[in-house]
Amino acid sequence: SNLLATDPLARWSVVFATLAHDLDHPGVDNSCLVNEYASLVRSYNGARSVSEQNAIEAAWSLFTDNRFKSLREALCPDSSQLHRFQKLLIKAILATDVADKELQSIRQSNWELAFARSDQPDTPSEELQSQQASAALEMIMQASDLSYAMQPWSIFVKWSSRLHQEALVAYKAGRYDQDPSASWFEDVLNFLDSVVLPLTDRLEDAGLSSLYAKCATENKKQWVEKGQALMEITWRK
C-alpha cells in the first residue's frame, strides 16, 4: 500500500525481518518443536509459531546489541520509534508461519477486508490505509519466505530438494515419526495449491508482476509431470 511504501521504518522492518525470519532455525517444523521442547511452549506462552517466536527473540537480541547502537539510534531515534519497530518486526516474522491454517485464514480475511471490498473508496480513510499496510506487510513477508516456489523450475526444484533432505535428516534422527518421502509428492502439490498460488493471486491483485503466478503455475505443472521421477532418481539416493 502507499502508506507502507512511504514509511521508511516499515520498509526497514521488512528488510530486517526478511533477513532474520529463519534465525536459529532448528531444521524441523513447529509441531516437532512443540513435542520436543516443552520449555519453548512455556517461554512463548503457547504452542503457536514457536520457531518464528524464537527467530524474533534472536533477531531482537541482535538488533539491540551494543555493536549496533549507532544503527539503532539512526533508525529509531527515540523509544517510541524503537517500540514501533519492534511491533512491526514481530508482525512481519510471525507472518511467515504459513503452516498454521487458522492464522492463514485470519490473514486472508484481513486481506479481503483491506483490498477486496466492493465499496473500496477512491480516497481510503486512515483506518483503511492502516489495514492495507498491515495486510501488505504480511503478504510481502510471505512472498519473501516462499519466493523459491514462484521462481523458475530449476530454482524451485533445488530448494524443494533441500527442504526434503532437511526433513529426511530429521526423520533419520528420530525427530519425525514418518518418512517425509512417503507423502512428499502430495505435500508439495498441496503446498502449491493451498499456499503459494493463492499468494500469487494476491500479489497480482496488488499490482505486482503476474510472473509470480506464471512461475508457480508452471512449477505445479512440472511437478505433476516430473515430481515422482525426481524423487525416485535423485532425492532418495
Side-chain angles (χ1 to χ4, degrees), residues 2-14:
N2 291 335
L3 185 62
L4 185 62
T6 56
D7 185 342
L9 193 60
R11 285 185 289 168
W12 163 245
S13 72
V14 170

Side-chain angles (χ1 to χ4, degrees), residues 204-231:
E204 194 164 0
D205 288 344
L208 300 177
S209 174
S210 61
L211 181 61
Y212 303 112
K214 290 178 181 178
C215 282
T217 301
E218 180 62 22
N219 286 337
K220 178 185 175 181
K221 177 184 175 183
Q222 296 265 35
W223 183 253
V224 170
E225 295 173 357
K226 304 175 182 178
Q228 292 279 20
L230 277 172
M231 291 182 64

Side-chain angles (χ1 to χ4, degrees), residues 98-99 104 142 146 150 189-202:
V98 298
Q104 280 292 87
Q142 290 193 2
L146 307 177
M150 298 177 277
L189 275 181
N190 180 62
F191 169 68
L192 289 169
D193 280 334
S194 64
V195 178
V196 177
L197 288 169
L199 177 59
T200 63
D201 288 341
R202 294 198 295 275

Side-chain angles (χ1 to χ4, degrees), residues 11 22 81 117 162 179 202 206 227:
R11 285 185 289 168
D22 274 338
Q81 288 289 78
R117 294 168 34 166
R162 292 187 178 187
D179 183 346
R202 294 198 295 275

Side-chain angles (χ1 to χ4, degrees), residues 111-122:
W111 174 267
E112 292 173 358
L113 182 65
F115 290 104
R117 294 168 34 166
S118 59
D119 60 340
Q120 196 75 255
D122 293 334

Side-chain angles (χ1 to χ4, degrees), residues 1 3 91 107 109-115 117 120 124-138:
S1 73
L3 185 62
K91 184 175 186 63
R107 293 180 190 119
S109 296
N110 290 341
W111 174 267
E112 292 173 358
L113 182 65
F115 290 104
R117 294 168 34 166
Q120 196 75 255
S125 65
E126 186 175 326
E127 180 183 2
L128 180 56
Q129 287 186 63
S130 179
Q131 291 173 343
Q132 290 177 338
S134 178
L137 177 68
E138 291 178 334

